[in-house]
Amino acid sequence: MKIKSIKSYILNCFLLTIPVLVWDIIFTNRLPKEFQSDIFWKDIPTIITYGENIFRTFLFLLLMLIPLTFSTKRQKRGLVIYLVGILFYFISWLVLIYYPNSIWSNSSLGFIAPAFTPLIWLIGIEFIGNTFYFKLPYNRIFLISAIIIFILFHCLHTIIVFYRTR
């Protein structure tokens, strides 16, 4: 009984971020120099740095409180949205890595694509979630708000880097 209970808490929506985190660890050093930590985080306004990191942490913690299940049509659609989002996210990185001098990579939209494409896979996760653990009242607005605020800070950060390095 206890093993099943512990297993149910381990199977949470945070698990869906693991492919992204692994991807980021493996490929960050292959991105153009503007995305390397020493340049990417240099001279970013404190409000944006704190906002981005606080809401990233809040979002990940929130995902840990949401059970990972695929029993409803909405959750299955969420899985498809998540997979499409992951694909777009990975492609946005690959274009920057393999075609750094392309028109796309040097455009503001192409440069910030890795910052806004997580919106797709995160919305997929939002579709998957429909309850919290611990009998907390679930309202989608918590997760949607965390996603939107994090993405806004992340995009602002990346836009600053784009214009500062051009």
Side-chain angles (χ1 to χ4, degrees):
M1 182 75 170
K2 282 188 178 183
I3 292 175
K4 183 180 180 192
S5 176
I6 292 170
K7 184 180 175 184
S8 67
Y9 289 115
I10 292 172
L11 295 175
N12 61 60
C13 285
F14 178 78
L15 292 175
L16 296 173
T17 67
I18 291 174
V20 172
L21 296 174
V22 169
W23 178 271
D24 290 1
I25 289 167
I26 293 171
F27 291 104
T28 295
N29 64 345
R30 296 182 184 174
L31 284 168
K33 67 182 184 321
E34 297 89 351
F35 290 93
Q36 302 310 310
S37 186
D38 56 333
I39 296 173
F40 193 74
W41 287 97
K42 184 182 179 192
D43 299 327
I44 299 300
T46 305
I47 186 91
I48 293 175
T49 299
Y50 282 128
E52 182 177 5
N53 287 317
I54 287 168
F55 279 96
R56 176 187 292 115
T57 302
F58 178 68
L59 176 59
F60 284 0
L61 289 173
L62 207 52
L63 293 175
M64 288 179 192
L65 297 175
I66 301 172
L68 180 60
T69 60
F70 303 105
S71 55
T72 69
K73 279 186 178 180
R74 179 180 170 86
Q75 290 172 321
K76 290 173 185 168
R77 273 191 223 121
L79 180 59
V80 171
I81 294 167
Y82 165 80
L83 293 171
V84 168
I86 289 288
L87 181 64
F88 280 128
Y89 180 69
F90 291 169
I91 289 170
S92 74
W93 278 57
L94 292 173
V95 172
L96 288 168
I97 291 168
Y98 291 108
Y99 303 102
N101 297 318
S102 68
I103 293 171
W104 172 256
S105 294
N106 286 294
S107 71
S108 58
L109 192 60
F111 189 88
I112 68 166
F116 68 77
T117 53
L119 180 63
I120 304 166
W121 59 263
L122 286 167
I123 292 299
I125 294 174
E126 190 283 322
F127 270 68
I128 292 166
N130 65 3
T131 185
F132 286 129
Y133 291 120
F134 311 115
K135 297 184 182 181
L136 293 172
Y138 185 81
N139 189 330
R140 294 187 187 288
I141 197 70
F142 294 125
L143 188 53
I144 292 169
S145 298
I147 290 168
I148 291 170
I149 295 169
F150 165 68
I151 294 295
L152 285 173
F153 276 116
H154 196 43
C155 286
L156 279 172
H157 179 167
T158 309
I159 289 167
I160 289 169
V161 173
F162 176 78
Y163 285 106
R164 187 185 66 215
T165 58
R166 295 294 179 250

